[in-house]
Structure formats: structure tokens, C-alpha cells
Amino acid sequence: MRNPAVFVPHFHWDREWYEPFQVFRHRLVTALDTVLDTAEAHPDFRFTVDGQMAAVEDYLEMRPEHRDRLAALVADGRLAVGPWLILLDEFLCSGETIVRNLQMGWAAAEKLGGAMRIGYLPDMFGHVAQMPQILARAGIEHAALWRGVPGTVDGHAFRWRAPDGSEVRTEFLFDGYDNGLDVLLVPEHIGRALGDYAEMTAERWGNDPVLAMAGTDHNAPDPRLTAWLHRASSDERPITLATLEEYLRDHVRDEPTAVVTGELRSHVRGNILPGVLSVRLGLKQRMAAAERTVDHAERAGALWSGQDGTPFLTLAWHKIIESTAHDSVVGSGTDETCEQVEARLAEAAQAARAVRDAAVAEPAARVPSDAHLVANPLPHPRTAHIEVDVVAPAERGVLAATAADGSLHPVQLISTAPTVLSDEVMDASQVERVLRRIHRRELFGRLIDTYELTPGSLVFHLAEVPSSGAFDLLILRRKVAEAVAAHPGEWRVLTLEEARATALAPVHVPASGLASVRVAPAEHAPEPDFTPATAAGRTLANGLVEVAVAADGTLDVTGADGTALRGLGRLVDGGDRGDSYNYGPPAEDQLVSEPAEVTVEVLEQGPLRARTRVTRVYAWPVALTEDRDVRSAQTVPTPVETLVELRAGEPFVRLTTSFLNRSADHRLRLHVPLPEPVTGSASAGQFAVTPRGLTAEGGWGEHPIPTFPASQFVAAGPATVLLDHTAEYEVVGDGSELAVTLLRAIGSISVNIHPYRDEPAASEIPAPGAQDLGLRIENRLAVLPSAGGWQQAGAVAMAELFRNDVLVARGTAPAGGALPEDTAGIAVEGPDVFVSSIRTVTGDGGASGTEVRLVAMSDTGARARVTGAFTEAATVDLLGRPLAGPAAAPGALGLDLGPWEIRTVLLR
């Protein structure tokens, strides 16, 4: 008997793409209606719902009356749902978001009858290195996918190994997730077509059945499929219908011998469409901001608050995860679709921000209102520099910061605010109308401290924190009415604010802890206990890093160990005739790298922060010409500002680039020249630091351009670039320069004829919003020089400091009181130990605790020590289920983490 065949009816459902979500949902409802009717009419029909519960949730919102029908099919094993909430782009979200996606999808599927135990990843544009560990630590033993598999895999399955050694058996959909459709083109000849296909692919199947994925995008299988396959089945080649889980569980016998370790980003058997990493910059930035905000909100709730923000946090996570869909955050949809994704991410950040701010407000209530609370979301102590609005010092006076222990610290004055907010002359009959501006005690965003009412004059003195006692608006109204009646004619109404200043103050904050500081005028400036940051002329320094601005506006940066990076920040702008999926150079490209004009301005001289603004003006072509193969001769002068910043105590230089984009069809990259050529790079993201070479494996129909993703940092030789959001990078010039993409502006979802891709990725639909015309483009990053590379430089910890600011709130207790003592929360010690999450969880039966997820970001493992206010600890898997783990002494837990191990502990 020849290899039998197993057909897996399914569809692939992009929640939104070339049409917005609600349009696709209308099609989804029709498709799932058909699936239910077909399943109930044909008892041996099976269906796999694309591995994502979002399609089921979206359907049931429109068809809630069909929940029992769905549940019955799930219980009977005929409808496979989950385990994901949504099919995500793995590289454009954090590792924690991937875990939450799996958790929420699993929970939703369990409520419907049970999740498919397959890590189904059919259409992602490549796969992250730690996915096998994520699946294995959720108890999932199988994966199934298409894109990114290297050419060394010659069968239909392989063992996929994560950096920690975890493995999952992985079904390789080498002909895509729709390979069965060609067999079904002519229903009368399915048997013959199946025989032809089986013969063509025989070397891949071994002794296993031929897997025929019978489905495609946005369509239910034909209701006659079961009858067709029954007719085509024979003793010589029997045909079975199954879910994907049934195929892997009941039909596969051969154990794969091929092993693939790490990420899957090969082009050899399918397009991985790498240009999605850099198109629609705003979506990538909003994703990072939303993830960071919900993370801080969870930590604030677990560490400093007694409130339950779960409903809002669940909403925030759901919206973030929805937005990670591989045609959502990637930006490969229409403008309408991308605007909705952007709004969804904004909503997620807003819901999380509300929880975060409410949680921080609780300890702020114990801090006097003339002081500030500082909360540290990171589980290790730090000295932070906070900007606060305070009373300005008298002329030639100084400010000082007082900590809770009474110690004084120097303060850097950033700016002062005008004290006259309004000066108006009016007739007496109009004065009473001015009082309508007052709301109880608030006027112009401040509070009325005192007022002076004299004939013809009313003067308000405003303060952020009033020093006087009660204010009675009704008494003021009566007095003003009497005064204007007694003194008609011209009146002057003057509104004055106490002299205010913006100041930068240093605050030492314990691990996951709270500190408070009072910044006020002082008799003399305290002596600094640190090496100050300075800026003068074209030079900045802080004792750890020195920066010199060259004549062309690039930077020469020297690290503490003498490592020198010269020409850093060179900007190279070139044409892009590609689309949202792939960069494509025009046939006659014109690269612009030399500015026409350079100006340098010192903004802040220190001692806590030194800032210099470098402005370079470039002549960028306005667009491509009509044939799209040449950049226009018409140029537009574009000033690009680079804010160069050093902070006291930081071993890296912060850079913020910004410009108003007035050019279309182009790619802008920031270059970091390296002292010597390198043979590879490494980037951090999704629980790993992934090494890469200078080339990519080619094949299929896509040029293997070696552009790669980086989320937390990217390192090449002695240069490590810390990142604010997921970015695209490439090591260019035969290993001599690291290039980070700042903007890729294109105008179409897909183009039919592409220089770097043989086949269209979608229809040629205009997407003018992807040009980012008229928008201010801003990128934040930092450069950390170290001869020993990223690990010796402590890049894991430095990236966390760069990405996570402390949280600051003004106190709300009566002014003038004592500052509360500093308090510490959960602390985690250990080199290269990354803490992905700290949150409160509630288990079945009401048991609750604080969940901490740690990752050893090292190929040698790590020793971690967790301390805090807990009496016991348990190890759990990624779905929260108890595992065997080390015992903990009250308040202390030691963990030996293996190389790249993800460990989750529950503290009580």
C-alpha cells in the first residue's frame, strides 16, 4: 500500500489586512457558519480553526447562540481550537507578550472544551529562537509551521531546539498551509492528483501519511469536501479526514532525525518578508510603549497597591495581543487597518496607564505635597534622574534635593517658568466674569494661594501647593461685587504664579522600591558624590564616556575602557521602490550621506545631565520618478536634529534623532562604524540574544537580504546599540559598519514586480500612509562601547535601564511633613538575569501570590537570588501549573538557571 493521505480541513484567518477587522469578521461569520453546518451534516468531518481563539471569540460575539454547537464539536474532537489567542508576528512583540498570548488563548479554549496541543504557527514571517522552550514549558510537544525552515531539513518534520536545549517535534509545512488545495482543483480527479502529488514529494514523507492541508485564507472548505474525499479514497491509497492534532497524534510514526537550533529565518522554502520589520515605524513604537506600560502597571499593582486592576489589565493585554497579529503590527495592511491597530495599541496603553497611576497614587498619599514619590519598576536598585516642577530659587540661589534619610544632593536647574500668567485691564462691570474661571480653588491649572483686592485692582497669587489655609470662593465673589460697585471704572486683574522651575534631581531608589525626595531652595549647593556630566563646545563627558562632535556632525565616542567608535551616527538615505513586505532598491539609486550644513548647540552643561543638539541639513530627493527606478532630481532640504545626551553614572551615550519627513520612497539608516570588521552580530529579544552572520540563506523567490530584528539591543564587535522599540538592522560594508533603520517610507502594500521578490506578497493596493509624509519621525537609542562586547558591557541590564524610566508622582499628604522611609520590594540579583514580569496572580480556589518570570540571558546559565517579603516559593510552568522546584527560606530564594532558561516562580 502506498502512503495513505490525511486531509486537514482548515482556514487561515488574517483578522485584518487589506480590509479592516469588521469587514473580515463579516466573512468570518459566514465561513464558520458553513463549518458548523458541514460538521453537523457529515459526522466524519473535522476542522482546525487556525490555531487562534480570536477567530472563535470574534465569531461568538456575533453568534453567541452558537456557543453550544461549537463546544459540542470541540468536546467530540472534531473541532480543534487554540492554543493561541492570535497568530502573532513573533519578532515584533516581547517574549512576555508571546507568553500572555498563549496563556489567554489556552484559557479561552479550555472554557470551550480544550485547546489543541499543537504550537500551530502557519504563516508567521519567521520564528524566534525560544519558541520551542515557550511551547515545551506550557506542556506542548509539537509545533507546525511553514516559513523560515533552513535547507538542511529534507523531510516533513524536524526537531526544533531552543537555546536552552528544549525541543518540540515540528511538522514542516514545506508546501505551505494550503498544499491540499491543488489536489482538490478537479473533484472528479482527486485520486489521480493526489497520486501525482505524493509521487512528487515522496522523498519527504518516509513511512508517514501525506499531509494535505485543505484550506486557505478567509474561506471555509467546500461543504462537499467529505463526499469528494470518500469517493477518492481507495484501498491502495486510503484518505482520512483529521484535525491537525489528530494527524500528529494518531497518524505520524517516523521520528525526525533533523535537528534545527534557534531562530528560523531562512528564505529557502518560503518568503519571510523581512521588510515588515521597518515599515510604519509608529506601530512598532506604539507596541513597545503599550507593552512597557502594562508591564509597569502590573508591577505597580503587585508591589505598591492594594487595588485590583485585573479587568483593565486584561483588557490592555487583549488589545496588545490582538495587535500582534502578523498582518497588524507589521504594518502590511491598508491605511484604514493600520490606523485601527494604532488606536487599539493606544487604548491598551491608556487602560494600563490608569491602573499604573492609581497604584502609584497609593504610596504617593504618604508623601508630602511639596515632595515627590519615585517608584522603581526594576528589581534592582538604581540612581535615577527625575525631572520635577518645583519652586524656583531666588536670584543667584540654588536648589538641593533632600532624601528621606536627610542627605542633600545637588540639583540641576533646567528652566524657569514665567510668573505672570495674565495681566488684563477691563471695566469694573467685567471683573465678576473673571471669577467664572475659578473652579473651587483652581485657576489656570494651579491653586489660588492668596489674593489682594484693592480699589481698581485684583491680584491672584497661584501655587501648586498653597501655603495658606482655606479658600472660600463665595466670600471672594461677595467682596468683588462690593468693590466694583464702590469703585466703577477701569480695573486691572493680574494673575501671578510663584516662581517655578524645572529641575533635574538624583534619587537613589531600592529594588522594586519606593523613595521620596524634596527639591527646594537651599543656602548652598551640596558637593556631588559622582563624576559630573559636562558639555562644552563640541565635547561631552561624564567620566565613563567621552563624545566629540566632528565637523560633519558625526560623533567620536570613547568608552571607559578606551574603546573608540568614530564617525558614529552617520546617516545614509537611499531610495526604496519596494513595498510593506520587502525593501527594494531602485535600479539607479542615489545615496545621500553628506549634510549640506551642520550646527552644534549646547543645551545643558550638567552636572547631572549634559545635552548637545546637532542639526544636520540634507538634500533628500522628494520621491522616485514615475518609472520608480530613479530618485527624483528635485530635492527638499531636511534638517535632522540629533540630541546627544550623557547622564552622570551611565556608560552609554543617548541619542534621539528627529526630523519632519517630506520625502517619499526612501530608507534612512543610522550607521555605527566599527574599529575592525566583524564576522557577525547578535541581537536581544524574546528571551534570547541571537547570534547571526553577515549573510542570509537564500532560495524560493526572495532575495536573502541580511536585515534582522532587534528588540532590546543589537551588538556588533565593541558596539552595542540599546533600543527603545523593535528595529531592523544590518551589518554592512563587509562587516565594517552596523546600520540601524530609522525610517522606511513606501506607498503600497505589495508591488507586482519587485526587485527582491519573485511573486507578489498581496494585491497591489496603495498605502499612502506608509510614506509617513508630514510626520515628525523620532527614534531613541543609545550606544554602549565596550571592547568585550555586549556581555562584558552588561548590555542586558543596561538595556533595561535605558528602556524603563522610574515612575514619578507628586505627594498628596500635607506639605512640610517628614518624608517616609525608602522601602524595597522584590529584588533579583544575578549577572545577565532578565526579569520579564512581576505581577499578582490568583489561582483556582483563590490562592494568590506574586509571579516572577526570570530568564538567564547567557549561554553559561546564571545564579539568581530573589529576595523580598515572601515566606514560600513554588516553581510553575508558563500556564501557571505547579512544578517541582527549589525550596526557599523566608524572604530569599536561590535559583540555578541553565543557559537561556526561562523560569517562573510564584512567591507567597
Side-chain angles (χ1 to χ4, degrees):
M1 184 179 71
R2 299 176 181 177
N3 293 63
V6 176
F7 277 74
V8 174
H10 76 103
F11 57 42
H12 173 55
W13 208 271
D14 300 295
R15 196 165 185 262
E16 54 201 353
W17 181 17
Y18 56 83
E19 292 282 9
F21 162 58
Q22 296 297 355
V23 174
F24 269 143
R25 170 146 71 174
H26 190 272
R27 299 179 189 176
L28 170 69
V29 171
T30 301
L32 277 178
D33 281 346
T34 300
V35 167
L36 294 184
D37 292 343
T38 303
E40 290 167 349
H42 301 278
D44 55 349
F45 179 78
R46 301 288 193 270
F47 192 78
T48 299
V49 191
D50 205 27
Q52 56 178 334
M53 282 300 296
V56 177
E57 289 185 350
D58 294 340
Y59 175 77
L60 288 177
E61 280 190 7
M62 299 293 107
R63 294 277 197 269
E65 69 276 11
H66 291 177
R67 185 177 186 86
D68 289 345
R69 296 176 68 192
L70 277 167
L73 291 170
V74 173
D76 199 30
R78 298 172 57 207
L79 190 71
V81 297
W84 301 101
L85 178 59
I86 207 161
L87 294 181
L88 70 162
D89 186 287
E90 299 167 31
F91 291 98
L92 289 174
C93 64
S94 70
E96 188 63 33
T97 298
I98 297 175
V99 171
R100 301 305 179 89
N101 187 342
L102 185 57
Q103 289 176 345
M104 294 182 81
W106 190 277
E110 289 295 297
K111 291 178 182 178
L112 202 62
M116 177 172 67
R117 267 65 174 170
I118 308 295
Y120 187 47
L121 306 161
D123 198 29
M124 286 74 164
F125 307 152
H127 304 277
V128 297
Q130 287 281 39
M131 184 58 76
Q133 183 179 182
I134 292 171
L135 295 175
R137 289 184 180 267
I140 297 174
E141 299 177 350
H142 295 267
L145 50 82
W146 166 33
R147 303 184 196 265
V149 178
T152 54
V153 176
D154 56 9
H156 73 99
F158 61 96
R159 303 294 304 180
W160 187 14
R161 183 179 296 162
D164 77 311
S166 300
E167 288 186 1
V168 290
R169 183 199 177 279
T170 303
E171 186 68 21
F172 176 27
L173 307 176
F174 59 89
D175 268 346
Y177 53 78
D178 59 354
N179 69 317
L181 292 188
D182 288 346
V183 174
L184 301 174
L185 278 175
V186 184
E188 294 78 13
H189 299 296
I190 289 175
R192 189 267 309 156
L194 178 59
D196 290 347
Y197 180 75
E199 184 178 345
M200 291 167 54
T201 59
E203 74 282 357
R204 286 197 176 268
W205 299 112
N207 297 312
D208 288 334
V210 173
L211 171 62
M213 298 293 289
T216 188
D217 297 3
H218 318 132
N219 284 285
D222 193 295
R224 297 167 292 177
L225 175 64
T226 304
W228 294 345
L229 295 179
H230 280 320
R231 288 199 303 268
S233 182
S234 65
D235 292 339
E236 186 178 4
R237 193 185 303 279
I239 296 174
T240 304
L241 276 82
T243 65
L244 184 60
E245 185 172 24
E246 287 174 328
Y247 171 77
L248 296 176
R249 184 188 66 208
D250 302 334
H251 297 277
V252 168
R253 295 292 178 262
D254 288 353
E255 191 62 30
T257 57
V259 177
V260 179
T261 299
E263 72 176 2
L264 306 179
R265 288 194 65 82
S266 169
H267 306 255
V268 74
R269 290 295 304 181
N271 296 337
I272 64 168
L273 311 171
V276 298
L277 297 172
S278 52
V279 74
R280 296 195 191 260
L281 170 69
L283 287 178
K284 281 62 172 176
Q285 292 175 326
R286 281 196 181 274
M287 174 60 71
E291 289 177 322
R292 191 155 45 239
T293 306
V294 74
D295 176 41
H296 289 177
E298 285 188 333
R299 297 185 190 214
L303 297 165
W304 313 311
S305 172
Q307 300 180 48
D308 181 12
T310 301
F312 286 92
L313 294 174
T314 301
L315 173 69
W317 272 118
H318 202 287
K319 288 185 176 294
I320 288 171
I321 293 165
E322 289 176 55
S323 302
T324 65
H326 71 280
D327 280 309
S328 296
V329 69
V330 298
S332 60
T334 61
D335 291 351
E336 185 178 23
T337 294
C338 293
E339 287 164 4
Q340 291 179 342
V341 177
E342 188 171 291
R344 192 183 303 133
L345 287 168
E347 279 191 77
Q350 291 155 9
R353 188 179 74 204
V355 174
R356 180 200 67 191
D357 292 351
V360 172
E362 291 184 49
R366 300 188 290 272
V367 175
S369 58
D370 58 346
H372 289 82
L373 173 80
V374 183
N376 179 14
L378 298 181
H380 49 77
R382 65 197 291 193
T383 297
H385 299 152
I386 65 167
E387 277 194 21
V388 291
D389 179 69
V390 296
V391 176
E395 188 176 356
R396 298 183 182 177
V398 297
L399 295 170
T402 305
D405 62 4
S407 59
L408 291 177
H409 303 276
V411 168
Q412 180 176 331
L413 185 63
I414 303 299
S415 64
T416 56
T419 57
V420 178
L421 299 185
S422 72
D423 188 353
E424 303 166 275
V425 176
M426 62 190 68
D427 186 78
S429 62
Q430 302 299 311
V431 175
E432 191 172 0
R433 296 177 60 184
V434 172
L435 303 185
R436 298 176 190 173
R437 301 171 181 168
I438 303 171
H439 302 277
R440 289 164 294 281
R441 194 168 189 167
E442 180 270 329
L443 176 60
F444 296 157
R446 299 293 187 187
L447 299 178
I448 296 174
D449 189 9
T450 61
Y451 61 87
E452 301 163 10
L453 181 60
T454 57
S457 174
L458 174 59
V459 181
F460 292 108
H461 296 273
L462 308 185
E464 188 166 3
V465 181
S467 59
S468 59
F471 168 79
D472 193 321
L473 180 58
L474 294 178
I475 291 177
L476 174 62
R477 285 177 175 170
R478 177 174 54 80
K479 289 182 176 180
V480 168
E482 294 172 350
V484 297
H487 302 282
E490 187 176 89
W491 274 68
R492 183 186 186 195
V493 179
L494 185 63
T495 306
L496 303 176
E497 182 182 16
E498 62 184 344
R500 306 296 297 179
T502 301
L504 192 66
V507 185
H508 182 76
V509 200
S512 300
L514 303 171
S516 53
V517 63
R518 179 181 280 118
V519 178
E523 294 182 1
H524 58 85
E527 289 296 322
D529 57 357
F530 55 85
T531 302
T534 60
R538 289 175 171 258
T539 303
L540 302 91
N542 67 356
L544 297 173
V545 187
E546 292 184 2
V547 182
V549 182
D552 63 356
T554 62
L555 310 175
D556 295 338
V557 178
T558 305
D561 63 358
T563 298
L565 303 174
R566 306 197 182 281
L568 189 156
R570 185 169 71 96
L571 297 177
V572 180
D573 185 77
D576 191 341
R577 62 145 299 164
D579 52 30
S580 65
Y581 292 102
N582 296 78
Y583 160 76
E588 298 179 27
D589 201 0
Q590 177 189 351
L591 299 180
V592 180
S593 60
E594 298 300 322
E597 179 184 342
V598 178
T599 58
V600 179
E601 179 185 5
V602 175
L603 302 179
E604 297 176 19
Q605 297 177 333
L608 296 172
R609 184 174 71 192
R611 282 179 165 179
T612 294
R613 180 168 57 217
V614 180
T615 303
R616 290 172 283 179
V617 181
Y618 295 88
W620 289 344
V622 295
L624 293 177
T625 56
E626 190 173 344
D627 65 6
R628 300 192 57 75
D629 271 329
V630 180
R631 298 191 81 181
S632 170
Q634 181 184 354
T635 62
V636 57
T638 304
V640 181
E641 295 180 355
T642 302
L643 183 66
V644 185
E645 177 180 325
L646 291 183
R647 297 183 184 181
E650 287 187 346
F652 49 82
V653 54
R654 295 171 180 257
L655 304 176
T656 301
T657 65
S658 64
F659 61 93
L660 182 66
N661 183 42
R662 299 167 63 195
S663 296
D665 312 318
H666 68 127
R667 181 182 67 173
L668 177 67
R669 302 205 285 189
L670 181 143
H671 285 236
V672 181
L674 306 172
E676 296 180 358
V678 297
T679 58
S681 63
S683 77
Q686 298 82 35
F687 303 142
V689 179
T690 302
R692 302 185 178 100
L694 301 183
T695 60
E697 184 180 33
W700 201 247
E702 185 175 57
H703 181 79
I705 182 172
T707 53
F708 300 109
S711 294
Q712 293 158 287
F713 64 81
V714 54
T720 297
V721 179
L722 311 179
L723 299 168
D724 178 67
H725 60 273
T726 299
E728 170 193 273
Y729 78 90
E730 181 181 2
V731 178
V732 299
D734 295 325
S736 63
E737 289 188 272
L738 174 64
V740 179
T741 304
L742 303 183
L743 174 69
R744 201 165 71 83
I746 52 86
S748 181
I749 289 180
S750 176
V751 294
N752 293 335
I753 305 300
H754 194 294
Y756 277 2
R757 193 182 63 236
D758 286 351
E759 61 177 317
S763 298
E764 195 169 80
I765 300 173
Q771 297 281 16
D772 284 343
L773 286 169
L775 298 182
R776 178 152 290 277
I777 306 301
E778 182 171 294
N779 284 270
R780 284 198 329 123
L781 50 86
V783 179
L784 174 63
S786 174
W790 69 266
Q791 201 156 12
Q792 186 172 312
V796 172
M798 293 298 102
E800 285 295 276
L801 283 173
F802 174 69
R803 292 164 64 90
N804 295 275
D805 291 331
V806 293
L807 311 176
V808 181
R810 178 173 287 279
T812 55
L819 300 179
E821 292 184 2
D822 295 353
T823 58
I826 293 171
V828 178
E829 302 172 35
D832 295 330
V833 175
F834 168 62
V835 177
S836 176
S837 172
I838 300 175
R839 62 165 178 157
T840 298
V841 295
T842 301
D844 296 336
S848 63
T850 301
E851 182 188 81
V852 182
R853 192 160 7 263
L854 311 95
V855 187
M857 300 284 279
S858 164
D859 55 12
T860 59
R863 174 68 178 175
R865 185 169 185 268
V866 183
T867 57
F870 57 90
T871 57
E872 60 182 50
T875 301
V876 298
D877 72 5
L878 287 184
L879 298 179
R881 300 171 298 203
L883 300 170
L893 172 65
L895 297 171
D896 287 314
L897 303 176
W900 308 106
E901 180 185 355
I902 305 167
R903 183 83 65 88
T904 307
V905 295
L906 186 64
L907 309 176
R908 299 186 181 92

